Amino acid sequence: MLPESPSSSTAIAHGAELLRAGRLVAFPTETVYGLGAHALDERAVARVFEAKGRPRFDPLIVHAADLEGIARLVVRLPPVAERLAARFWPGPLTLVLPKSALVPDLVTAGCPTVALRIPDHPVALELLRVAGIPVAAPSANLFGRISPTTAAHVADQLGDRIDLILDGGPCRVGVESTVLNLAGEVATLLRPGGTPLEEIERLIGRVQIGNSESLPPSSGLASPGTLPQHYAPRTPLFLQGASIHSATPSAGDCPGVRPTGSIGLLAFRAPTDAREFAVVEVLSRHGDLGEAAANFFAALRRLDEAGLEWIVAETFPEVGLGRALNDRLRRAAFRETGSAGG
Ligand code: TXA
Ligand code: MG
């Protein structure tokens, strides 16, 4: 398996060289680790889909080091995009805009729009600057599985399929970027993520909530990758309907059957009574959503590896990062007839 390489300048320069040559390099961002490829090289982009086992109808986010790098990938940057960029980039916000002819159709899954962001991580920024090319990067996990927030997570799932993993330590934000569609008449939220909706609305006014699961990609409103099931552990996960303050966590809205094996709890804050659970992962002892987000995917992975029969997860208050966390939980939840979705 591919060892993770500490992200010295030499390692970053090597990564940049590999990217320019059309190879795959996993790198840290502030949200999750990305699986990077030269965005303007269709063969390199095709390797990303192959390595992840990702269907080609699911478009990729293109990363650049600065606004100039972004500007040449779009038809034009509307004023609203400039304002969002000035406030939130580098950072966990992805903007969807009409693409320029430079961007290959494979990157956008045939959509006339492209998803773009400037990541807020020193290793990612140096890699992008040294490579001097836009880099298409989905989260560096196998399609439909749990997103990676450490280099070891990447090595686990993709270590034998890619050319280099740059290790930048655990990701600070821990959930993927917020995806905002600016290609239509009104700004539409396609995926809640690391930039809270409230902060976006404070800057640009009301944002429409995209109904991404019911719209075809061709409508331009859907985020084709936001399939109902995604971020999924192998252990069936059930959401606890009860409020986060309920004294006794229980299997909540789990099916009527009781499991014969053990149950694990993914708790937002320290539970008062968790006796019925074999393993408890507390995301933030004092209920801080930022801390919970940073711990979320790693905790879910540990529960998935604990040999449990079920995982029960507490939901989060639907504000700030809680919106993104609830979205990931809903997509991770067990579905009898569900098929995995990136
Ligand atoms: O934080 C992140 O966004 C991470 C890091 C690596 O940057 N990347 C990430 O990529 O989460 P991925 O591929 O796992 O998710 C990309 C999301 C998908 O939901 C995809 O459908 C959506 O962005 N997307 C990409 N291009 C789009 C487009 N042209 N129109 C609508 N949605 C798009
Ligand atoms: Mg993903």
Side-chain angles (χ1 to χ4, degrees):
M1 191 185 295
L2 193 66
E4 306 102 63
S5 171
S7 40
S8 61
S9 300
T10 321
I12 294 173
H14 178 51
E17 209 175 289
L18 287 170
L19 284 174
R20 292 179 61 87
R23 314 294 294 270
L24 302 184
V25 175
F27 61 97
T29 81
E30 79 282 29
T31 58
V32 300
Y33 275 71
L35 175 57
H38 190 328
L40 309 183
D41 175 346
E42 290 213 48
R43 285 181 33 213
V45 174
R47 285 192 190 108
V48 170
F49 286 95
E50 211 169 289
K52 279 194 62 136
R54 177 167 171 136
R56 292 198 177 195
F57 60 75
D58 191 356
L60 307 178
I61 295 174
V62 180
H63 301 67
D66 51 40
L67 213 51
E68 278 155 45
I70 295 281
R72 61 195 201 105
L73 304 173
V74 298
V75 176
R76 70 187 187 96
L77 269 180
V80 64
E82 283 182 355
R83 284 170 65 205
L84 287 162
R87 168 79 176 77
F88 295 111
W89 280 351
L93 176 65
T94 293
L95 301 179
V96 174
L97 288 161
K99 78 176 191 72
S100 75
L102 262 186
V103 182
D105 286 335
L106 187 57
V107 171
T108 69
C111 294
T113 56
V114 60
L116 301 157
R117 83 180 190 100
I118 302 178
D120 186 16
H121 193 290
V123 174
L125 287 171
E126 190 178 337
L127 180 70
L128 290 164
R129 248 181 242 122
V130 175
I133 50 167
V135 171
S139 50
N141 51 279
L142 290 171
F143 181 67
R145 308 238 64 109
I146 301 170
S147 301
T149 53
T150 67
H153 293 165
V154 180
D156 270 359
Q157 289 193 0
L158 296 174
D160 51 358
R161 302 174 180 212
I162 63 183
D163 301 295
L164 179 70
I165 302 172
L166 290 171
D167 187 350
C171 299
R172 174 174 58 82
V173 175
V175 289
E176 295 87 345
S177 61
T178 300
V179 181
L180 193 65
N181 186 9
L182 297 178
E185 281 184 5
V186 286
T188 307
L189 180 73
L190 298 180
R191 178 177 74 182
T195 300
L197 179 63
E198 294 88 339
E199 287 186 31
I200 296 171
E201 290 194 319
R202 219 172 289 141
L203 186 74
I204 65 165
R206 197 127 199 90
V207 167
Q208 190 174 306
I209 307 299
N211 186 0
S212 56
E213 286 172 26
S214 59
L215 292 163
S218 57
S219 69
L221 285 172
S223 200
T226 48
L227 298 174
Q229 193 156 14
H230 217 100
Y231 314 103
R234 268 155 288 193
T235 316
L237 179 143
F238 300 94
L239 303 186
Q240 189 176 50
S243 112
I244 52 161
H245 301 296
S246 78
T248 313
S250 72
D253 48 21
C254 300
V257 282
R258 299 297 304 174
T260 50
S262 46
I263 316 178
L265 176 69
L266 184 63
F268 172 33
R269 57 176 91 206
T272 45
D273 180 0
R275 272 172 297 186
E276 64 178 296
F277 299 102
V279 187
V280 178
E281 286 282 349
V282 177
L283 294 173
S284 171
R285 202 143 281 286
H286 302 292
D288 177 77
L289 285 168
E291 186 183 18
N295 292 325
F296 182 76
F297 283 127
L300 188 53
R301 241 169 229 265
R302 284 192 297 271
L303 286 172
D304 200 21
E305 285 158 9
L308 300 160
E309 189 171 352
W310 286 0
I311 299 168
V312 171
E314 290 181 354
T315 55
F316 301 86
E318 188 73 11
V319 292
L321 290 177
R323 211 183 290 269
L325 290 167
N326 285 332
D327 171 80
R328 305 305 185 267
L329 272 186
R330 281 193 288 269
R331 293 180 203 286
F334 179 71
R335 276 182 181 78
E336 212 92 47
T337 53
S339 61

